[in-house]
Amino acid sequence: MDSITQAALGASLAGAVAGKTLGRSALLIGAALGTLPDLDVVIDYGTAVANFTQHRGFSHSLFILFPLSFLIAWALHRWRPVLSYRRWLAVTALILLTHPLLDAFTTYGTQLFWPFGPPIAISSIFIIDPLYTLPLLAGILAFLFRGPDTRAVMAGLVLSTLYLGWSVTAQQIISDRVQPALAQEGLQDAPRMVQPMPFNTVLWRVTVMGEDRRVEIVTGFLDGDGPVTLESFPRDPQLAEVAATLAEGRRLEWFTNGFLHYERANGRLTATDIRLGIPGAHPFTFILATDNGDGLKPLPSSRTERPAVAGELLGLLWSRMTGSAEVLCLASLTLPPPGEGCT
């Protein structure tokens, strides 16, 4: 999740566990601990793919954070012995462990068990979702202005947790909704990713990887009982085989679970993480190799510039999310006339 949300979660947990003893300072300590795992972004691993795939790695591993919480709790107890070591341990362990667990509900991928196993991405909540964050912030504000009453932060934690549970339920409902349409296309068993569109859990995006095409579906809870619209994007499986000969190509495949779009044009081979953003506005595209006519030459990977997002995108999402538009064409980021599909 975003840094504000993680800081708010840490502050809320610290306030709930130690707020009556530490007062408002508990919120500052909790916010700092909640931000700690994300400080790995300052590390340069040498290439764009390495920086991308190492983020949320060792600093988000339960095998690292759990023993680290004992050390930090010892240091905090030496600094502020007004709280027992066991209470300090409860504060630090709760905050440090819930940070990566919350991140695992997003699409990016969190290496909870680093250095073992692939990243975990439940993909049930967008990286920024106000309905998750606002209850936490409301509880914190109440704690700040009304004094060390833990009921407010506890209420914020309960509401946010319930919303997170709703996101998983909603994801399953959407997955069941699109199943008949995918079965008609022979894609019922193809790799599938179901995730919310930005900032909400009402409108959802379903991405399905076929042999020679990728299918995208946008559907929401205000769409009624009408059929879902499938939008197809070409896919060249041979490029995936070419990328698999490159070390950084294999690393990206592992990190994204194969949800990549490859292109070989303008003398270079690129890979785009299609999980993040939406078609036409994917923020992570990597140059893996160059081709000057004598075969591919691997490069230390670099990132292309982020694509410009149309200013009216939020308006389009709002129209589609509220059900006032039937279809959102992802390829062009436009709303077609009522009753018509994407071309």
Side-chain angles (χ1 to χ4, degrees):
M1 297 291 284
D2 63 284
S3 296
I4 293 176
T5 300
Q6 291 289 9
L9 177 60
S12 298
L13 288 169
V17 175
K20 289 184 177 180
T21 303
L22 298 178
R24 294 178 177 87
S25 65
L27 303 182
L28 292 175
I29 295 169
L33 288 173
T35 307
L36 184 63
D38 282 339
L39 294 182
D40 67 329
V41 296
V42 305
I43 302 173
D44 185 359
Y45 292 96
T47 70
V49 167
N51 289 336
F52 179 66
T53 60
Q54 296 286 0
H55 177 48
R56 295 193 187 177
F58 77 92
S59 70
H60 286 59
S61 172
L62 301 181
F63 295 135
I64 299 295
L65 294 176
F66 183 66
L68 181 62
S69 64
F70 286 84
L71 179 61
I72 294 177
W74 174 82
L76 289 172
H77 178 60
R78 291 291 300 270
W79 172 56
R80 295 285 299 273
V82 65
L83 207 64
S84 69
Y85 174 74
R86 298 181 72 174
R87 290 280 295 281
W88 274 122
L89 181 59
V91 170
T92 55
L94 273 173
I95 295 172
L96 292 181
L97 298 182
T98 54
H99 179 120
L101 290 174
L102 177 59
D103 276 346
F105 282 86
T106 67
T107 300
Y108 187 96
T110 307
Q111 297 174 55
L112 289 179
F113 305 110
W114 180 95
F116 310 106
I120 295 179
I122 298 171
S123 301
S124 69
I125 193 168
F126 192 67
I127 192 170
I128 301 173
D129 192 322
L131 288 183
Y132 179 86
T133 309
L134 287 176
L136 298 175
L137 294 177
I140 291 169
L141 289 174
F143 187 97
L144 286 173
F145 291 106
R146 293 171 52 188
D149 185 347
T150 61
R151 289 176 297 180
V153 289
M154 286 292 294
L157 287 167
V158 169
L159 289 174
S160 288
T161 302
L162 289 174
Y163 182 73
L164 193 62
W166 150 251
S167 75
V168 176
T169 302
Q171 183 185 52
Q172 185 59 52
I173 293 171
I174 294 298
S175 185
D176 293 341
R177 172 183 292 183
V178 303
Q179 182 65 17
L182 295 177
Q184 283 187 335
E185 297 290 324
L187 297 171
Q188 66 272 19
D189 297 321
R192 180 190 315 178
M193 178 181 61
V194 182
Q195 63 174 320
M197 293 289 275
F199 316 126
N200 76 103
T201 52
V202 175
L203 187 65
W204 290 73
R205 171 189 168 206
V206 181
T207 305
V208 183
M209 303 294 283
E211 286 294 326
D212 57 358
R213 62 173 174 155
R214 180 178 94 248
V215 170
E216 299 274 5
I217 301 171
V218 176
T219 185
F221 286 99
L222 299 180
D223 286 355
D225 298 325
V228 297
T229 298
L230 282 68
E231 193 172 358
S232 293
F233 297 80
R235 179 172 180 259
D236 186 349
Q238 291 184 344
L239 288 183
E241 295 176 4
V242 172
T245 65
L246 308 174
E248 293 203 297
R250 293 192 296 273
R251 177 73 180 181
L252 274 178
E253 281 278 339
W254 170 81
F255 189 76
T256 65
N257 200 26
F259 282 86
L260 292 165
H261 173 72
Y262 296 100
E263 288 190 7
R264 191 171 183 173
N266 301 320
R268 62 188 191 180
L269 174 66
T270 61
T272 299
D273 185 344
I274 58 172
R275 306 170 307 156
L276 308 177
I278 57 178
H282 295 299
F284 292 99
T285 295
F286 303 93
I287 302 172
L288 301 180
T290 59
D291 185 356
N292 296 320
D294 54 354
L296 284 175
K297 293 184 177 180
L299 294 172
S301 59
S302 59
R303 266 183 64 188
T304 64
E305 292 186 10
R306 285 175 178 258
V309 179
E312 65 272 14
L313 176 58
L314 289 179
L316 297 176
L317 288 175
W318 178 257
S319 297
R320 186 64 186 80
M321 184 176 67
T322 56
S324 56
E326 298 175 358
V327 179
L328 172 62
C329 296
L330 293 175
S332 57
L333 295 181
T334 59
L335 299 173
E340 296 186 17
C342 301
T343 57

PDB file of all heavy atoms in Angstrom, residues 313-338:
ATOM      1  N   LEU A 313      -9.066  10.592 -17.424  1.00  0.00           N
ATOM      2  CA  LEU A 313      -9.159   9.198 -16.999  1.00  0.00           C
ATOM      3  C   LEU A 313     -10.022   9.036 -15.755  1.00  0.00           C
ATOM      4  O   LEU A 313     -10.861   8.133 -15.684  1.00  0.00           O
ATOM      5  CB  LEU A 313      -7.764   8.627 -16.743  1.00  0.00           C
ATOM      6  CG  LEU A 313      -7.725   7.193 -16.200  1.00  0.00           C
ATOM      7  CD1 LEU A 313      -8.422   6.236 -17.156  1.00  0.00           C
ATOM      8  CD2 LEU A 313      -6.292   6.752 -15.943  1.00  0.00           C
ATOM      9  N   LEU A 314      -9.838   9.920 -14.761  1.00  0.00           N
ATOM     10  CA  LEU A 314     -10.632   9.795 -13.533  1.00  0.00           C
ATOM     11  C   LEU A 314     -12.114   9.959 -13.827  1.00  0.00           C
ATOM     12  O   LEU A 314     -12.953   9.259 -13.244  1.00  0.00           O
ATOM     13  CB  LEU A 314     -10.167  10.828 -12.507  1.00  0.00           C
ATOM     14  CG  LEU A 314      -8.795  10.575 -11.872  1.00  0.00           C
ATOM     15  CD1 LEU A 314      -8.458  11.692 -10.893  1.00  0.00           C
ATOM     16  CD2 LEU A 314      -8.755   9.226 -11.171  1.00  0.00           C
ATOM     17  N   GLY A 315     -12.438  10.866 -14.751  1.00  0.00           N
ATOM     18  CA  GLY A 315     -13.837  11.037 -15.126  1.00  0.00           C
ATOM     19  C   GLY A 315     -14.396   9.798 -15.808  1.00  0.00           C
ATOM     20  O   GLY A 315     -15.552   9.403 -15.564  1.00  0.00           O
ATOM     21  N   LEU A 316     -13.582   9.174 -16.667  1.00  0.00           N
ATOM     22  CA  LEU A 316     -14.005   7.937 -17.329  1.00  0.00           C
ATOM     23  C   LEU A 316     -14.217   6.830 -16.308  1.00  0.00           C
ATOM     24  O   LEU A 316     -15.211   6.094 -16.364  1.00  0.00           O
ATOM     25  CB  LEU A 316     -12.961   7.513 -18.354  1.00  0.00           C
ATOM     26  CG  LEU A 316     -12.708   8.450 -19.536  1.00  0.00           C
ATOM     27  CD1 LEU A 316     -11.566   7.920 -20.391  1.00  0.00           C
ATOM     28  CD2 LEU A 316     -13.958   8.621 -20.374  1.00  0.00           C
ATOM     29  N   LEU A 317     -13.284   6.704 -15.368  1.00  0.00           N
ATOM     30  CA  LEU A 317     -13.414   5.670 -14.342  1.00  0.00           C
ATOM     31  C   LEU A 317     -14.660   5.901 -13.485  1.00  0.00           C
ATOM     32  O   LEU A 317     -15.370   4.958 -13.130  1.00  0.00           O
ATOM     33  CB  LEU A 317     -12.167   5.642 -13.461  1.00  0.00           C
ATOM     34  CG  LEU A 317     -10.891   5.090 -14.093  1.00  0.00           C
ATOM     35  CD1 LEU A 317      -9.718   5.249 -13.133  1.00  0.00           C
ATOM     36  CD2 LEU A 317     -11.058   3.623 -14.469  1.00  0.00           C
ATOM     37  N   TRP A 318     -14.908   7.151 -13.150  1.00  0.00           N
ATOM     38  CA  TRP A 318     -16.087   7.456 -12.338  1.00  0.00           C
ATOM     39  C   TRP A 318     -17.370   7.091 -13.079  1.00  0.00           C
ATOM     40  O   TRP A 318     -18.281   6.492 -12.504  1.00  0.00           O
ATOM     41  CB  TRP A 318     -16.085   8.928 -11.946  1.00  0.00           C
ATOM     42  CG  TRP A 318     -17.287   9.322 -11.141  1.00  0.00           C
ATOM     43  CD1 TRP A 318     -18.384  10.009 -11.566  1.00  0.00           C
ATOM     44  CD2 TRP A 318     -17.528   9.014  -9.753  1.00  0.00           C
ATOM     45  NE1 TRP A 318     -19.292  10.155 -10.553  1.00  0.00           N
ATOM     46  CE2 TRP A 318     -18.796   9.558  -9.427  1.00  0.00           C
ATOM     47  CE3 TRP A 318     -16.797   8.345  -8.782  1.00  0.00           C
ATOM     48  CZ2 TRP A 318     -19.330   9.437  -8.159  1.00  0.00           C
ATOM     49  CZ3 TRP A 318     -17.343   8.223  -7.510  1.00  0.00           C
ATOM     50  CH2 TRP A 318     -18.592   8.780  -7.212  1.00  0.00           C
ATOM     51  N   SER A 319     -17.431   7.448 -14.376  1.00  0.00           N
ATOM     52  CA  SER A 319     -18.619   7.122 -15.161  1.00  0.00           C
ATOM     53  C   SER A 319     -18.816   5.616 -15.243  1.00  0.00           C
ATOM     54  O   SER A 319     -19.934   5.109 -15.120  1.00  0.00           O
ATOM     55  CB  SER A 319     -18.493   7.699 -16.573  1.00  0.00           C
ATOM     56  OG  SER A 319     -18.435   9.111 -16.537  1.00  0.00           O
ATOM     57  N   ARG A 320     -17.727   4.893 -15.432  1.00  0.00           N
ATOM     58  CA  ARG A 320     -17.833   3.442 -15.548  1.00  0.00           C
ATOM     59  C   ARG A 320     -18.123   2.803 -14.192  1.00  0.00           C
ATOM     60  O   ARG A 320     -18.909   1.860 -14.085  1.00  0.00           O
ATOM     61  CB  ARG A 320     -16.512   2.904 -16.109  1.00  0.00           C
ATOM     62  CG  ARG A 320     -16.537   1.418 -16.415  1.00  0.00           C
ATOM     63  CD  ARG A 320     -17.538   1.100 -17.520  1.00  0.00           C
ATOM     64  NE  ARG A 320     -17.653  -0.344 -17.699  1.00  0.00           N
ATOM     65  CZ  ARG A 320     -18.387  -1.127 -16.926  1.00  0.00           C
ATOM     66  NH1 ARG A 320     -19.096  -0.622 -15.924  1.00  0.00           N
ATOM     67  NH2 ARG A 320     -18.436  -2.427 -17.160  1.00  0.00           N
ATOM     68  N   MET A 321     -17.528   3.336 -13.143  1.00  0.00           N
ATOM     69  CA  MET A 321     -17.697   2.775 -11.810  1.00  0.00           C
ATOM     70  C   MET A 321     -19.127   2.938 -11.313  1.00  0.00           C
ATOM     71  O   MET A 321     -19.676   2.057 -10.653  1.00  0.00           O
ATOM     72  CB  MET A 321     -16.725   3.440 -10.834  1.00  0.00           C
ATOM     73  CG  MET A 321     -16.746   2.867  -9.431  1.00  0.00           C
ATOM     74  SD  MET A 321     -15.492   3.624  -8.381  1.00  0.00           S
ATOM     75  CE  MET A 321     -16.114   5.294  -8.252  1.00  0.00           C
ATOM     76  N   THR A 322     -19.736   4.067 -11.612  1.00  0.00           N
ATOM     77  CA  THR A 322     -21.085   4.343 -11.119  1.00  0.00           C
ATOM     78  C   THR A 322     -22.173   3.754 -12.001  1.00  0.00           C
ATOM     79  O   THR A 322     -23.359   3.909 -11.705  1.00  0.00           O
ATOM     80  CB  THR A 322     -21.299   5.863 -11.013  1.00  0.00           C
ATOM     81  OG1 THR A 322     -21.043   6.479 -12.288  1.00  0.00           O
ATOM     82  CG2 THR A 322     -20.380   6.463  -9.972  1.00  0.00           C
ATOM     83  N   GLY A 323     -21.779   3.077 -13.089  1.00  0.00           N
ATOM     84  CA  GLY A 323     -22.761   2.433 -13.943  1.00  0.00           C
ATOM     85  C   GLY A 323     -23.398   3.342 -14.962  1.00  0.00           C
ATOM     86  O   GLY A 323     -24.305   2.921 -15.685  1.00  0.00           O
ATOM     87  N   SER A 324     -22.949   4.600 -15.065  1.00  0.00           N
ATOM     88  CA  SER A 324     -23.526   5.512 -16.047  1.00  0.00           C
ATOM     89  C   SER A 324     -22.981   5.260 -17.445  1.00  0.00           C
ATOM     90  O   SER A 324     -23.458   5.837 -18.416  1.00  0.00           O
ATOM     91  CB  SER A 324     -23.264   6.970 -15.647  1.00  0.00           C
ATOM     92  OG  SER A 324     -21.880   7.208 -15.483  1.00  0.00           O
ATOM     93  N   ALA A 325     -21.959   4.410 -17.567  1.00  0.00           N
ATOM     94  CA  ALA A 325     -21.438   3.972 -18.861  1.00  0.00           C
ATOM     95  C   ALA A 325     -21.350   2.456 -18.847  1.00  0.00           C
ATOM     96  O   ALA A 325     -21.057   1.848 -17.819  1.00  0.00           O
ATOM     97  CB  ALA A 325     -20.072   4.591 -19.139  1.00  0.00           C
ATOM     98  N   GLU A 326     -21.648   1.840 -19.994  1.00  0.00           N
ATOM     99  CA  GLU A 326     -21.681   0.384 -20.051  1.00  0.00           C
ATOM    100  C   GLU A 326     -20.301  -0.228 -20.244  1.00  0.00           C
ATOM    101  O   GLU A 326     -20.021  -1.319 -19.757  1.00  0.00           O
ATOM    102  CB  GLU A 326     -22.597  -0.070 -21.196  1.00  0.00           C
ATOM    103  CG  GLU A 326     -24.050   0.370 -21.034  1.00  0.00           C
ATOM    104  CD  GLU A 326     -24.891  -0.002 -22.236  1.00  0.00           C
ATOM    105  OE1 GLU A 326     -24.315  -0.560 -23.203  1.00  0.00           O
ATOM    106  OE2 GLU A 326     -26.100   0.256 -22.225  1.00  0.00           O
ATOM    107  N   VAL A 327     -19.443   0.471 -20.994  1.00  0.00           N
ATOM    108  CA  VAL A 327     -18.166  -0.108 -21.400  1.00  0.00           C
ATOM    109  C   VAL A 327     -17.079   0.948 -21.281  1.00  0.00           C
ATOM    110  O   VAL A 327     -17.307   2.128 -21.562  1.00  0.00           O
ATOM    111  CB  VAL A 327     -18.235  -0.631 -22.856  1.00  0.00           C
ATOM    112  CG1 VAL A 327     -16.888  -1.220 -23.274  1.00  0.00           C
ATOM    113  CG2 VAL A 327     -19.337  -1.674 -23.013  1.00  0.00           C
ATOM    114  N   LEU A 328     -15.902   0.526 -20.856  1.00  0.00           N
ATOM    115  CA  LEU A 328     -14.697   1.349 -20.921  1.00  0.00           C
ATOM    116  C   LEU A 328     -13.709   0.619 -21.812  1.00  0.00           C
ATOM    117  O   LEU A 328     -13.289  -0.500 -21.508  1.00  0.00           O
ATOM    118  CB  LEU A 328     -14.090   1.548 -19.527  1.00  0.00           C
ATOM    119  CG  LEU A 328     -12.718   2.229 -19.472  1.00  0.00           C
ATOM    120  CD1 LEU A 328     -12.791   3.642 -20.029  1.00  0.00           C
ATOM    121  CD2 LEU A 328     -12.175   2.244 -18.055  1.00  0.00           C
ATOM    122  N   CYS A 329     -13.362   1.239 -22.965  1.00  0.00           N
ATOM    123  CA  CYS A 329     -12.424   0.625 -23.904  1.00  0.00           C
ATOM    124  C   CYS A 329     -11.009   0.871 -23.400  1.00  0.00           C
ATOM    125  O   CYS A 329     -10.524   2.010 -23.424  1.00  0.00           O
ATOM    126  CB  CYS A 329     -12.603   1.206 -25.306  1.00  0.00           C
ATOM    127  SG  CYS A 329     -14.217   0.851 -26.035  1.00  0.00           S
ATOM    128  N   LEU A 330     -10.349  -0.184 -22.968  1.00  0.00           N
ATOM    129  CA  LEU A 330      -9.042  -0.029 -22.357  1.00  0.00           C
ATOM    130  C   LEU A 330      -7.972   0.358 -23.366  1.00  0.00           C
ATOM    131  O   LEU A 330      -7.026   1.067 -23.037  1.00  0.00           O
ATOM    132  CB  LEU A 330      -8.648  -1.324 -21.646  1.00  0.00           C
ATOM    133  CG  LEU A 330      -9.501  -1.683 -20.427  1.00  0.00           C
ATOM    134  CD1 LEU A 330      -9.092  -3.038 -19.884  1.00  0.00           C
ATOM    135  CD2 LEU A 330      -9.376  -0.631 -19.352  1.00  0.00           C
ATOM    136  N   ALA A 331      -8.095  -0.120 -24.601  1.00  0.00           N
ATOM    137  CA  ALA A 331      -7.059   0.167 -25.589  1.00  0.00           C
ATOM    138  C   ALA A 331      -6.945   1.652 -25.882  1.00  0.00           C
ATOM    139  O   ALA A 331      -5.859   2.177 -26.112  1.00  0.00           O
ATOM    140  CB  ALA A 331      -7.338  -0.597 -26.877  1.00  0.00           C
ATOM    141  N   SER A 332      -8.084   2.340 -25.860  1.00  0.00           N
ATOM    142  CA  SER A 332      -8.088   3.764 -26.188  1.00  0.00           C
ATOM    143  C   SER A 332      -8.485   4.642 -25.010  1.00  0.00           C
ATOM    144  O   SER A 332      -8.481   5.865 -25.119  1.00  0.00           O
ATOM    145  CB  SER A 332      -9.057   4.023 -27.352  1.00  0.00           C
ATOM    146  OG  SER A 332     -10.361   3.564 -27.030  1.00  0.00           O
ATOM    147  N   LEU A 333      -8.839   4.027 -23.864  1.00  0.00           N
ATOM    148  CA  LEU A 333      -9.312   4.758 -22.693  1.00  0.00           C
ATOM    149  C   LEU A 333     -10.441   5.718 -23.066  1.00  0.00           C
ATOM    150  O   LEU A 333     -10.406   6.911 -22.789  1.00  0.00           O
ATOM    151  CB  LEU A 333      -8.155   5.521 -22.028  1.00  0.00           C
ATOM    152  CG  LEU A 333      -7.051   4.644 -21.432  1.00  0.00           C
ATOM    153  CD1 LEU A 333      -5.987   5.514 -20.782  1.00  0.00           C
ATOM    154  CD2 LEU A 333      -7.607   3.650 -20.442  1.00  0.00           C
ATOM    155  N   THR A 334     -11.459   5.145 -23.683  1.00  0.00           N
ATOM    156  CA  THR A 334     -12.639   5.928 -24.070  1.00  0.00           C
ATOM    157  C   THR A 334     -13.900   5.167 -23.669  1.00  0.00           C
ATOM    158  O   THR A 334     -13.867   3.948 -23.446  1.00  0.00           O
ATOM    159  CB  THR A 334     -12.680   6.188 -25.586  1.00  0.00           C
ATOM    160  OG1 THR A 334     -12.703   4.908 -26.268  1.00  0.00           O
ATOM    161  CG2 THR A 334     -11.469   6.988 -26.046  1.00  0.00           C
ATOM    162  N   LEU A 335     -14.999   5.908 -23.589  1.00  0.00           N
ATOM    163  CA  LEU A 335     -16.302   5.310 -23.353  1.00  0.00           C
ATOM    164  C   LEU A 335     -17.044   5.284 -24.671  1.00  0.00           C
ATOM    165  O   LEU A 335     -17.323   6.350 -25.256  1.00  0.00           O
ATOM    166  CB  LEU A 335     -17.094   6.116 -22.326  1.00  0.00           C
ATOM    167  CG  LEU A 335     -16.470   6.245 -20.922  1.00  0.00           C
ATOM    168  CD1 LEU A 335     -17.277   7.214 -20.081  1.00  0.00           C
ATOM    169  CD2 LEU A 335     -16.392   4.883 -20.236  1.00  0.00           C
ATOM    170  N   PRO A 336     -17.372   4.103 -25.219  1.00  0.00           N
ATOM    171  CA  PRO A 336     -18.106   4.057 -26.482  1.00  0.00           C
ATOM    172  C   PRO A 336     -19.554   4.488 -26.284  1.00  0.00           C
ATOM    173  O   PRO A 336     -20.037   4.546 -25.135  1.00  0.00           O
ATOM    174  CB  PRO A 336     -17.998   2.589 -26.882  1.00  0.00           C
ATOM    175  CG  PRO A 336     -17.887   1.865 -25.583  1.00  0.00           C
ATOM    176  CD  PRO A 336     -17.119   2.772 -24.679  1.00  0.00           C
ATOM    177  N   PRO A 337     -20.282   4.765 -27.368  1.00  0.00           N
ATOM    178  CA  PRO A 337     -21.699   5.120 -27.241  1.00  0.00           C
ATOM    179  C   PRO A 337     -22.463   4.010 -26.554  1.00  0.00           C
ATOM    180  O   PRO A 337     -22.088   2.825 -26.641  1.00  0.00           O
ATOM    181  CB  PRO A 337     -22.145   5.288 -28.693  1.00  0.00           C
ATOM    182  CG  PRO A 337     -20.901   5.617 -29.445  1.00  0.00           C
ATOM    183  CD  PRO A 337     -19.806   4.846 -28.747  1.00  0.00           C
ATOM    184  N   PRO A 338     -23.552   4.339 -25.840  1.00  0.00           N
ATOM    185  CA  PRO A 338     -24.345   3.325 -25.135  1.00  0.00           C
ATOM    186  C   PRO A 338     -24.775   2.209 -26.074  1.00  0.00           C
ATOM    187  O   PRO A 338     -25.208   2.459 -27.197  1.00  0.00           O
ATOM    188  CB  PRO A 338     -25.547   4.113 -24.600  1.00  0.00           C
ATOM    189  CG  PRO A 338     -25.037   5.515 -24.482  1.00  0.00           C
ATOM    190  CD  PRO A 338     -24.080   5.701 -25.619  1.00  0.00           C
TER     191      PRO A 338
END
